[in-house]
């Protein structure tokens, strides 16, 4: 256990002490490559430019989609994703310093291009360090190529076409090497894919406990699969909105002609990563000689009923292990963000006291609650048992809405609802979320820490997460937060298969059913047999999007998927809803009203809001840079 937590601290929080080793100016061999120890430190230092995706104040991913919402009272200074939700981002004001480290107060700087530069510096020097064994030099080089690909991909996902950097550029290089134009999107994709291919040829398939968090061949192949799926998606594959989006010399930055073969490339990339995952581990690396290199995590006794087995399997996959090496392909252990998910996600501990205990403010949207399937593995508006019901009413003799009954196991693993249960403080809490109750509205709009939808998020909270009232102290569960999990590859394959071939192959169904079996649901085809069979065409596309979204709710993937599918304008411009939070009685509480957003109105403008703006400071420096459309 200590070894794993040490890995969390060292590898994933960043070896910030090594910042003192690398000068702000041009680094030299004399500074860095003297000893094996310093080369090792530099290896870890390269990772410190990876943006933190955990929590509410570093990245937009988790809270600028339609699944996770933050309290109405919190300002953008503390909840940076609100800058995207409410149209505050522009070329002169950004909360996300990724392209350049110049975000506004309250934002977070990463200076990703500097990270790319340092990775190339390692590549130029690592093979010449006498103290480093050749096999280690190759591995460090593989890690550098992975990070070069990762950093470029990160920029690509937030900004669209970027400036590619393909070598180490000294700070005294001529302007012709520094002030370059943006590279067309498809060229960016091809180069990033090449970086991952180079990394995959140098990295180990898996790593041991003492090296958790370091790049692997599996990570390289998996991020390549994500990259190519995004590149095949409607936002960047034949999107007519980008006609005229050109560099100053007239070079188009987007290919506005649809290319079906991009889906085939995405399909093949997902297949390659899954094939590696399914390879058997060697003795000593897994639970047995037939254990796969990567597999879906399971913890529940197989004798349990499907519903309870699925609920436990899914919830434990995130918080039971300090590091889920079975399923997590890349994860981070920034405990400040992980602690925030617990501190601001739990139910109120002390009635009438906002200053102590769990401070409810990071909660599911009603839209996310509605997205989960029924226990039959079907959407609410499709399942014969629910499609004609008034799901927002309470059945005679019951004490909670029909919306909360007969749902799939992932719902109960993730959602805390009125009169339902919540595991925290080493016990099972019965939630009381109506107006004036312990966990519900305080009946004061000025109080910050209360759910703005009438729900709580259980997904990131372990039963052992506890608050000691007498000491006013917290005992947080320590675990790693997934950046890319194995199920994503299964969904990538199925989506690319459908888009390329027009239907789902038996292999796609197998991959979908692996996920369903783990979480206690019927097989995909068995669920849809209840309503006449698997849908086709646009309806099947809609189902696949929902199937994927449910698995990754509250993990930040919905933010990116809504954009690449071009569904964001319709979804994000809707006013989020909630229960009548101040309602004191059952009848009063179970009325659907607008969620409290502090008087703000959501704004998603196409094509502007799909990308962050290139900082004006960079455009002023580089006359070859063009701004993203709409800014």
């Amino acid at each position: 256990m200590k070894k794993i937590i040490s890995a969390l601290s060292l590898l994933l929080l960043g070896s910030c002490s090594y910042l003192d080793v690398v000068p702000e100016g041009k680094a030299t061999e004399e500074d860095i490559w003297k000893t094996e120890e310093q080369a090792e430190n530099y290896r870890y230092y390269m990772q410190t430019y990876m943006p933190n995706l955990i929590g509410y104040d570093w990245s937009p991913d988790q809270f600028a989609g339609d699944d996770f919402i933050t309290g109405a009272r919190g300002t953008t200074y503390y909840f940076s994703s609100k800058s995207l939700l409410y149209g505050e981002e522009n070329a002169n004001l950004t909360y996300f310093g990724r392209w350049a480290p110049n975000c506004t107060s309250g934002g977070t700087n990463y200076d990703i291009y500097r990270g790319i530069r340092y990775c190339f510096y390692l590549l130029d020097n690592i093979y010449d360090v006498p103290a480093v064994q050749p096999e280690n030099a190759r591995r460090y080089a593989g890690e550098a190529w992975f990070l070069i690909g990762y950093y470029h991909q990160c920029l690509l996902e937030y900004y669209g076409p970027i400036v590619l950097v393909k070598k180490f550029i000294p700070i005294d290089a001529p302007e012709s090497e520094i002030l370059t134009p943006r590279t067309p999107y498809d060229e960016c994709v091809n180069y990033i894919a090449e970086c991952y291919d180079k990394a995959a040829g140098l990295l180990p398939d898996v790593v041991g406990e003492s090296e958790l968090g370091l790049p692997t061949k599996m990570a390289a192949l998996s991020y390549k699969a994500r990259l190519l799926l995004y590149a095949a998606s409607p936002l960047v594959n034949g999107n007519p909105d980008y006609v005229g989006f050109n560099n100053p010399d007239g070079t188009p930055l987007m290919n506005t002609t649809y290319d079906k073969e991009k889906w085939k490339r995405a399909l093949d990339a997902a297949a390659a990563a899954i094939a590696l995952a399914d390879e058997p581990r060697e003795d000593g690396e897994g639970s047995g000689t037939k254990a796969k290199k990567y597999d879906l995590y399971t913890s529940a006794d197989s004798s349990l009923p499907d519903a309870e087995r699925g609920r436990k399997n899914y919830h434990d996959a995130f918080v039971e292990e300090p590091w889920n090496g079975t399923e997590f392909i890349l994860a981070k252990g920034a405990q400040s963000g992980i602690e925030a998910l617990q501190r601001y996600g739990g139910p109120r501990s002390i009635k009438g006291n906002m200053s102590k205990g769990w401070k409810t403010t990071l909660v599911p949207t009603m839209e996310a609650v509605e997205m989960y399937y029924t226990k039959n593995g079907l959407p609410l508006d499709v399942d014969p048992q629910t499609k004609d019901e008034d799901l927002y009413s309470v059945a005679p003799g019951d004490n909670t809405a029909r919306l909360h009954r007969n749902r799939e196991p992932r719902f109960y693993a993730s959602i805390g609802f009125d009169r339902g249960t919540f595991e925290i403080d080493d016990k099972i809490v019965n939630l009381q979320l109506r107006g004036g109750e312990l966990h519900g509205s305080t009946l004061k709009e000025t109080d910050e820490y209360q759910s703005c939808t009438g729900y709580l998020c259980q997904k990131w909270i372990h039963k052992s997460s506890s608050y000691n009232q007498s000491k006013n102290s917290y005992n947080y569960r320590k675990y790693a937060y997934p950046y890319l999990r194995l199920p994503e590859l299964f969904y990538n394959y199925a989506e690319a298969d459908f888009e390329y071939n027009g239907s789902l192959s038996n292999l796609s169904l197998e991959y979908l059913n692996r996920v369903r079996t783990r979480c206690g649901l019927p097989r995909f085809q068995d669920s849809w047999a209840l309503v006449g069979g698997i849908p086709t065409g646009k309806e099947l596309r809609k189902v696949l999007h929902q199937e994927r979204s449910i698995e990754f709710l509250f993990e930040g993937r919905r933010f990116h998927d809504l954009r690449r599918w071009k569904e964001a304008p319709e979804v994000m411009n809707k006013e989020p809803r909630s229960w009548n939070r101040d309602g004191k009685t059952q009848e009063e509480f179970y009325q659907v009203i607008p969620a409290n957003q502090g008087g703000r109105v959501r704004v998603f403008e196409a094509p502007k809001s799909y990308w962050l703006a290139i900082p004006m400071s960079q455009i002023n420096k580089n006359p070859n840079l063009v701004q993203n459309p709409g800014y």
Side-chain angles (χ1 to χ4, degrees), residues 90-346:
N90 59 64
N92 292 303
L93 185 153
T94 181
Y95 285 83
F96 310 106
R98 284 159 165 70
W99 189 292
N102 57 356
C103 70
T104 190
S105 178
T108 307
N109 290 315
Y110 289 102
D111 197 1
I112 290 176
Y113 276 114
R114 182 185 289 262
I116 293 171
R117 179 174 181 268
Y118 286 154
C119 290
F120 277 115
Y121 193 67
L122 179 137
L123 288 173
D124 287 348
N125 290 278
I126 193 62
Y127 289 107
D128 296 327
V129 180
V132 177
Q133 296 296 317
E135 62 270 21
N136 288 337
R138 287 192 295 272
R139 182 171 176 186
Y140 299 174
E143 291 169 359
W145 279 117
F146 172 82
L147 289 169
I148 291 167
Y150 181 92
Y151 288 144
H152 277 104
Q153 184 176 0
C154 182
L155 291 166
L156 194 73
E157 288 181 341
Y158 290 112
Y159 295 99
I162 56 175
V163 175
L164 286 184
V165 178
K166 298 185 177 182
K167 64 179 183 178
F168 177 81
I169 302 176
I171 59 173
D172 56 358
E175 288 190 353
S176 59
E177 286 193 61
I178 298 173
L179 304 181
T180 57
R182 300 172 75 172
T183 306
Y185 188 90
D186 286 349
E187 290 183 35
C188 293
V189 170
N190 291 337
Y191 177 70
I192 297 169
E194 290 173 6
C195 292
Y196 287 137
D197 286 340
K198 291 177 181 178
L202 296 166
L203 293 171
D205 297 352
V206 296
V207 295
E209 286 188 356
S210 64
E211 297 181 314
L212 291 170
L214 289 172
T216 61
K217 178 179 180 179
M218 184 63 185
L221 294 181
S222 299
Y223 271 94
K224 179 182 175 181
R226 177 185 285 182
L227 168 79
L228 296 180
L229 186 82
Y230 204 119
S233 300
L235 178 62
V236 293
N237 186 5
N239 187 349
D241 294 342
Y242 294 122
V243 172
F245 180 27
N246 303 333
N247 272 332
D249 65 358
T251 301
L253 288 171
M254 289 285 195
N255 188 337
T256 55
T257 302
Y258 175 71
D259 182 0
K260 182 180 177 181
E261 292 304 311
K262 291 181 179 179
W263 288 111
K264 180 62 166 63
R265 195 178 178 197
L267 181 68
D268 292 342
I274 294 171
L276 178 59
D278 284 348
E279 287 182 2
R281 283 181 177 243
E282 297 175 3
D283 287 342
E285 290 184 332
S287 58
T289 56
K290 294 184 179 180
K292 296 177 180 178
K293 283 190 167 73
Y294 295 87
D295 205 354
L296 297 180
Y297 177 85
T298 56
S299 58
D301 191 317
S302 60
S303 65
L304 289 172
D306 284 349
E308 177 57 20
R309 177 181 57 80
R311 183 199 68 80
K312 181 172 174 56
N313 278 340
Y314 186 74
H315 187 252
D316 286 359
F318 301 100
V319 300
E320 186 62 29
E321 302 293 336
W323 191 298
N324 186 342
T326 301
E327 181 169 335
F328 292 0
I329 295 168
L330 189 70
K332 285 291 180 181
Q335 292 303 303
S336 58
I338 289 166
E339 290 172 2
L341 288 173
Q342 299 171 68
R343 183 168 64 255
Y344 297 113

Side-chain angles (χ1 to χ4, degrees), residues 511-555:
Y511 293 152
L512 294 177
N513 290 331
R514 284 197 201 180
V515 182
R516 281 178 160 245
T517 299
R518 192 268 291 273
C519 68
L521 280 176
R523 295 187 310 162
F524 187 82
Q525 55 268 48
D526 293 341
S527 290
W528 285 97
L530 298 174
V531 290
I534 297 173
T536 59
K538 293 180 180 179
E539 286 303 310
L540 181 52
R541 178 181 292 118
K542 178 181 176 183
V543 169
L544 290 174
H545 290 187
Q546 185 170 356
E547 192 92 7
R548 178 189 184 95
S549 293
I550 290 171
E551 176 68 18
F552 298 114
L553 286 173
F554 319 124
E555 294 182 49

Side-chain angles (χ1 to χ4, degrees), residues 423-602:
E423 295 186 354
I424 198 169
D425 289 320
D426 294 311
K427 59 187 177 182
I428 299 176
V429 176
N430 292 307
L431 292 176
Q432 302 173 56
L433 283 163
R434 298 171 192 171
E437 293 183 335
L438 174 59
H439 309 124
S441 166
T442 64
L443 307 179
K444 297 178 182 178
E445 288 290 333
T446 54
D447 286 343
E448 180 173 358
Y449 301 122
Q450 48 187 324
S451 173
C452 60
T453 64
Y455 289 104
L456 299 177
C457 185
Q458 176 78 77
K459 182 168 182 173
W460 300 114
I461 297 179
H462 190 270
K463 190 176 181 179
S464 66
S465 303
S466 59
Y467 170 72
N468 186 312
Q469 185 172 343
S470 63
K471 297 181 180 179
N472 190 28
S473 63
Y474 300 88
N475 177 40
Y476 296 110
R477 185 72 171 184
K478 289 183 171 62
Y479 54 83
Y481 179 92
Y483 277 28
L484 197 155
R485 294 193 288 122
L486 180 61
E488 180 176 334
L489 299 173
F490 298 153
Y491 290 117
N492 289 0
Y493 187 96
E495 182 180 344
D497 182 19
F498 165 74
E499 295 292 351
Y500 187 69
N501 295 307
S503 60
L504 293 177
S505 65
N506 289 335
L507 195 53
S508 288
L509 291 174
E510 177 191 328
Y511 293 152
L512 294 177
N513 290 331
R514 284 197 201 180
V515 182
R516 281 178 160 245
T517 299
R518 192 268 291 273
C519 68
L521 280 176
R523 295 187 310 162
F524 187 82
Q525 55 268 48
D526 293 341
S527 290
W528 285 97
L530 298 174
V531 290
I534 297 173
T536 59
K538 293 180 180 179
E539 286 303 310
L540 181 52
R541 178 181 292 118
K542 178 181 176 183
V543 169
L544 290 174
H545 290 187
Q546 185 170 356
E547 192 92 7
R548 178 189 184 95
S549 293
I550 290 171
E551 176 68 18
F552 298 114
L553 286 173
F554 319 124
E555 294 182 49
R557 294 317 307 160
R558 178 83 173 158
F559 169 83
H560 293 284
D561 286 337
L562 285 173
R563 282 160 170 75
R564 69 179 180 86
W565 291 330
K566 290 190 70 179
E567 295 176 4
E570 177 184 359
V571 171
M572 296 307 301
N573 281 319
K574 290 180 179 178
E575 184 175 42
R577 294 164 295 127
S578 78
W579 295 117
N580 178 23
R581 302 168 298 276
D582 292 345
K584 297 180 180 180
T585 67
Q586 177 176 292
E587 183 178 4
E588 291 173 344
F589 180 80
Y590 286 115
Q591 304 292 323
V592 179
I593 65 170
N596 183 1
Q597 298 185 86
R600 294 176 167 186
V601 177
R602 294 200 168 191

